Amino acid sequence: IPAKLPSPPKIDFEVSNENIPPTQHDAPTQAKEEAAKQVTPDWERLIIWEPTEEDLKVDENLTTIEVEGILCKWLRPHQREGVLFTTQCVLGEKDFEGN
């Protein structure tokens, strides 16, 4: 076995985006949000935190925090409760001293 492997050859080329069609990722964020609202999910949303009207008066950029839909689809009821409980404990919303 050689002590040092040879360096790979250097390949010099340029990538052009001019012939690549636009994708869903190129769409404006607002259009994505509107499309997401129109889709009816086949799972129940798991909302961890939602800003109140008072919170929005202080900072209008606050958004709802929720578990990703692909996870919600497969979580069982006791797991959903566990996710909420753990998050509330970490955020200090629940006072839990343990057993």
Side-chain angles (χ1 to χ4, degrees):
I1 298 177
K4 184 177 178 187
L5 295 175
S7 298
K10 185 176 180 182
I11 300 173
D12 210 11
F13 64 92
E14 288 185 28
V15 177
S16 171
N17 291 334
E18 65 186 42
N19 295 328
I20 300 174
T23 64
Q24 174 184 351
H25 300 292
D26 297 328
T29 305
Q30 186 177 12
K32 287 182 191 178
E33 290 174 357
E34 289 299 320
K37 289 177 184 176
Q38 294 174 359
V39 176
T40 305
D42 59 346
W43 62 86
E44 184 181 348
R45 293 172 62 196
L46 179 54
I47 297 175
I48 294 176
W49 180 80
E50 207 164 16
T52 63
E53 299 224 0
E54 292 82 28
D55 294 332
L56 291 173
K57 288 177 185 174
V58 175
D59 186 356
E60 62 186 30
N61 293 322
L62 293 175
T63 60
T64 300
I65 300 172
E66 59 185 293
V67 175
E68 187 70 31
I70 192 70
L71 293 175
C72 288
K73 184 175 182 176
W74 301 106
L75 285 177
R76 295 180 176 163
H78 70 281
Q79 293 170 320
R80 295 171 68 87
E81 290 175 17
V83 169
L84 283 174
F85 176 78
T86 303
T87 306
Q88 290 169 346
C89 288
V90 169
L91 295 176
E93 295 176 358
K94 212 177 243 315
D95 187 25
F96 182 72
E97 298 298 324
N99 295 15

